[in-house]
């Protein structure tokens, strides 16, 4: 691999291109490198695969409750029907007119008060929903930061990838461990776990100085890339079948998968 290609791969342009942050000129340059150099194409495919691993279980759902029907139309208005069958004197008619005016004024006052009350309640709903939306945005930003951090760790050249496949006790079991001894980080991606009886579970262990240290319980319902405790100088990883809730001592006779670490 020539120095020009090495410089290009170390520039970070591939990662920037994959995340959609390159300019038109940068995009043309990157696509030209991918087309002309197999080394660049392989690096791009690896980055794309790692991004899919990180993102596959971190989908961000859109908010379920969006602002709906803020204002309601009031189609009906108070109607006062007057049926007169007799003639009244002028002063009596004036009295009736004043009474009607008072009723209309009272009706309008009630209508305005009721409308103001509804608007006040609707405004409060809007305020509450805006607060919820801001909270959702903050949570989504935190999730995005976590995804980007995982993506960064996966693409660190010091991160080693270990595939753990099940033995005859759990043929379909498959998990992938990512360990970075320099940054002292460990992650595991649960790809497939055969179903166990309710009274049993899968537990992952680190082999250290002749003893097994628990790194947690693995669950089919928790299929996502997640961090596990980093164990300094670990010689290997082992997955066993244990009683529900986990065990304090590894049941090595029930081991279903193991690997040796570099």
């Amino acid at each position: 691999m020539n120095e020009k290609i090495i410089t290009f791969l170390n520039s970070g342009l591939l990662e920037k291109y994959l995340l959609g942050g390159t300019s038109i000129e940068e995009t043309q340059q990157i696509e030209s490198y991918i087309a002309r150099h197999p080394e660049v194409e392989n690096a791009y495919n690896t980055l794309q695969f790692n991004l899919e691993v990180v993102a596959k279980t971190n989908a961000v759902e859109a908010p379920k409750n969006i602002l709906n029907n803020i204002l309601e139309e009031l189609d009906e208005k108070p109607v006062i029907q007057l049926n007169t069958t007799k003639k009244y004197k002028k002063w009596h008619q004036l009295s009736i007119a004043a009474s009607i005016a008072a009723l209309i004024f009272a009706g309008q006052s009630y209508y305005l008060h009721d409308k103001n009350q509804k608007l006040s309640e609707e405004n409060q709903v809007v305020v509450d929903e805006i607060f919820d939306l801001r909270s959702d945005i903050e949570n989504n930003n935190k999730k995005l930061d976590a995804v980007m951090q995982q993506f960064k760790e996966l693409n660190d050249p010091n991160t080693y990838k270990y595939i753990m496949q099940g033995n005859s006790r759990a043929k379909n079991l498959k998990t992938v461990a990512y360990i970075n001894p320099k940054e002292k980080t460990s992650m595991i991606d649960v790809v497939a776990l055969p179903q166990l009886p309710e009274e049993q579970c899968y537990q992952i262990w680190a082999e250290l100085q002749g003893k097994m240290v628990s790194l947690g319980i693995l669950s089919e319902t928790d299929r996502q890339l997640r961090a596990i405790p980093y164990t300094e100088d670990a010689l290997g990883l082992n997955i066993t079948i244990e009683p529900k809730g986990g065990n304090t001592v590894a049941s090595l006779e029930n081991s279903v998968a193991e690997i040796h670490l570099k």
Side-chain angles (χ1 to χ4, degrees):
M1 186 182 301
N2 62 49
E3 186 174 346
K4 184 178 180 181
I5 294 178
I6 294 175
T7 301
F8 174 78
L9 292 176
N10 291 334
S11 68
L13 283 174
L14 270 182
E15 291 86 344
K16 189 177 178 182
Y17 172 73
L18 190 61
L19 297 175
T22 54
S23 64
I24 296 177
E25 293 77 10
E26 290 173 333
T27 298
Q28 292 175 346
Q29 178 191 7
I30 293 166
E31 291 177 349
S32 173
Y33 267 81
I34 293 174
R36 291 189 290 110
H37 302 290
E39 301 95 329
V40 177
E41 182 181 9
N42 289 337
Y44 171 72
N45 291 335
T46 300
L47 287 173
Q48 193 172 39
F49 173 79
N50 287 341
L51 182 59
E52 291 174 357
V53 170
V54 172
K56 68 177 182 179
T57 55
N58 288 280
V60 176
E61 296 183 358
K64 295 180 180 180
N65 296 322
I66 306 298
L67 301 180
N68 291 322
N69 300 324
I70 301 301
L71 298 176
E72 297 177 355
E73 288 291 339
L74 299 176
D75 295 328
E76 297 182 358
K77 295 183 179 180
V79 177
I80 299 176
Q81 296 181 347
L82 298 176
N83 295 319
T84 58
T85 57
K86 297 181 180 180
K87 295 182 178 180
Y88 295 91
K89 295 180 180 180
K90 186 175 182 179
W91 64 268
H92 200 179
Q93 291 174 341
L94 291 176
S95 177
I96 292 175
S99 298
I100 292 173
L103 289 173
I104 292 175
F105 177 76
Q108 290 293 331
S109 297
Y110 174 78
Y111 166 76
L112 292 175
H113 173 75
D114 183 62
K115 187 173 183 180
N116 287 337
Q117 184 66 26
K118 288 183 178 180
L119 287 175
S120 178
E121 293 173 356
E122 290 166 354
N123 286 339
Q124 185 59 46
V125 170
V126 172
V127 170
D128 292 341
E129 293 191 354
I130 290 175
F131 179 81
D132 291 340
L133 289 173
R134 287 179 177 174
S135 178
D136 289 340
I137 291 172
E138 291 178 1
N139 291 334
N140 289 338
N141 285 339
K142 290 179 181 179
K143 290 180 181 179
L144 180 60
D145 290 341
V147 169
M148 295 307 300
Q149 181 61 33
Q150 290 177 341
F151 181 58
K152 180 180 177 181
E153 291 180 13
L154 284 183
N155 289 290
D156 190 319
N158 295 300
T159 297
Y160 294 93
K161 176 181 177 181
Y162 302 92
I163 298 176
M164 300 182 69
Q165 294 182 314
N167 55 25
S168 58
R169 294 187 182 90
K171 293 182 179 180
N172 295 327
L173 182 148
K174 184 177 180 181
T175 63
V176 183
Y178 300 90
I179 299 177
N180 188 322
K182 181 178 179 180
E183 300 295 332
K184 301 187 184 304
T185 59
S186 299
M187 295 186 295
I188 192 164
D189 181 19
V190 178
V191 179
L193 288 177
Q195 189 172 0
L196 289 174
E198 290 186 2
E199 66 274 9
Q200 293 180 327
C201 69
Y202 292 102
Q203 191 167 354
I204 185 169
W205 308 81
E207 182 182 351
L208 179 65
Q209 298 177 352
K211 64 179 181 179
M212 306 299 288
V213 178
S214 175
L215 301 181
I217 295 173
L218 302 180
S219 172
E220 177 68 19
T221 60
D222 188 31
R223 290 182 59 184
Q224 61 180 346
L225 186 66
R226 64 181 180 90
I228 57 175
Y230 176 79
T231 307
E232 188 78 36
D233 299 326
L235 301 176
L237 297 176
N238 202 313
I239 299 176
T240 61
I241 297 177
E242 303 293 346
K244 183 178 181 180
N247 210 343
T248 56
V249 179
S251 303
L252 294 179
E253 66 276 11
N254 293 329
S255 174
V256 294
E258 67 175 308
I259 56 168
H260 296 287
L261 303 180
K262 297 180 181 180

